[in-house]
Amino acid sequence: MIRLTVHLLKKLMAAILPIVIVFVAVFALWFWLVSLPAGSGLVSLLSHVLLLGVFCCGAALLFYLLLQLWLMLQNSIYGSQAYLIRTLPLGRRQIYGACLINALVSLVLLVGLFALMILIAGTKADLLETLNLVLDGQTPQMIAVLILEVVFQWLFYVCSGYVGICFGHRKGSSDRVEMTGIGIACVMVGQALGIGLVFALNPQLASKIDSSPALSSTFITLVAQIAVIYGLFDLACILLCGWRIRKAADVE
């Protein structure tokens, strides 16, 4: 399983490497511009355009990585690579586990890259000091719960796609429309349940947000609750897909 995990991870990293290179290059160019002494309006305009490019590249990287993770599971169990992978002494659940490990490892690497960029940007924009002032000195706690929330929410999107792939597959065929529909439905149901649970746990949410003295503590509590909710959704999706793969996985 370790060798399969490493093999799949290498293919995944090779697939997203071009976008990562463009992402880092745009960020480096933006950082170089904002590091220059105050100059003409053209430099300011270019820095704003490049900052927009940084956000667009980051969003594209997230979406493309998500797509690659979905394709990895489909191809490894149901698609073109399934026959070769199934010749290994591995069961379906182990292949599924390798895909999950790759999803988590890729997310950790991505979070590390984003965190490094934020820290570098903060050296010029005093970002950390501003956050610390806004959050009443609770920046470390907020960063910690935000990382957890991002990790669990990301895994929820990955696992929602896995649910669509596993339950949209039928013997001898893989209906992409059905897979996509089930995956989107899983995301929408999860989001609706998540919002409902947040408001159920915090009936006075609006008044807490309006209370500025407790604003930072309220946000930290909310983000922590959202992280726990998504963590439970992740566990449910993982177990559901594992059951489906064990019962009804058919190699095309």
Side-chain angles (χ1 to χ4, degrees):
M1 179 176 174
I2 295 177
R3 295 181 66 180
L4 175 62
T5 303
V6 172
H7 170 72
L8 293 176
L9 183 60
K10 287 180 179 179
K11 294 190 65 174
L12 179 64
M13 293 297 104
I16 67 172
L17 182 60
I19 299 181
V20 173
I21 293 175
V22 173
F23 183 34
V24 173
V26 174
F27 174 81
L29 186 56
W30 168 82
F31 185 74
W32 175 73
L33 281 179
V34 298
S35 301
L36 296 175
S40 64
L42 179 60
V43 173
S44 177
L45 176 62
L46 285 175
S47 66
H48 284 83
V49 171
L50 286 172
L51 182 59
L52 178 62
V54 169
F55 285 109
C56 291
C57 288
L61 178 58
L62 287 171
F63 177 78
Y64 189 67
L65 177 59
L66 193 63
L67 180 63
Q68 288 297 319
L69 289 170
W70 291 339
L71 290 174
M72 179 189 296
L73 179 71
Q74 181 182 0
N75 292 334
S76 297
I77 296 182
Y78 304 112
S80 57
Q81 302 174 21
Y83 175 77
L84 293 176
I85 291 178
R86 290 297 302 279
T87 59
L88 301 173
L90 297 173
R92 294 165 179 161
R93 284 181 294 178
Q94 291 173 306
I95 299 172
Y96 172 55
C99 292
L100 283 175
I101 292 173
N102 276 302
L104 187 57
V105 170
S106 62
L107 175 60
V108 170
L109 294 175
L110 211 58
V111 168
L113 177 62
F114 288 160
L116 180 60
M117 288 182 168
I118 291 173
L119 288 174
I120 293 174
T123 60
K124 290 297 179 184
D126 296 327
L127 179 62
L128 295 180
E129 289 79 359
T130 303
L131 284 175
N132 200 48
L133 179 63
V134 171
L135 296 173
D136 298 328
Q138 301 187 63
T139 301
Q141 296 92 316
M142 175 58 86
I143 291 176
V145 295
L146 270 176
I147 290 175
L148 285 177
E149 194 277 334
V150 168
V151 169
F152 288 141
Q153 187 170 359
W154 169 265
L155 285 178
F156 173 66
Y157 293 143
V158 174
C159 293
S160 295
Y162 286 177
V163 170
I165 292 170
C166 295
F167 283 84
H169 180 79
R170 295 292 182 267
K171 285 187 176 182
S173 67
S174 296
D175 190 337
R176 291 185 181 273
V177 174
E178 187 174 356
M179 288 179 176
T180 303
I182 294 174
I184 293 175
C186 184
V187 170
M188 294 179 66
V189 170
Q191 298 282 25
L193 285 176
I195 293 173
L197 286 172
V198 167
F199 278 97
L201 294 171
N202 303 275
Q204 305 296 326
L205 181 59
S207 61
K208 289 181 180 179
I209 293 177
D210 291 336
S211 177
S212 56
L215 185 60
S216 59
S217 298
T218 299
F219 273 122
I220 290 174
T221 302
L222 281 176
V223 174
Q225 290 175 350
I226 294 171
V228 172
I229 290 170
Y230 275 115
L232 294 175
F233 289 168
D234 294 340
L235 181 61
C237 289
I238 289 171
L239 293 176
L240 194 60
C241 288
W243 172 81
R244 177 66 177 177
I245 288 173
R246 185 177 66 253
K247 293 292 184 180
D250 295 287
V251 179
E252 291 183 342

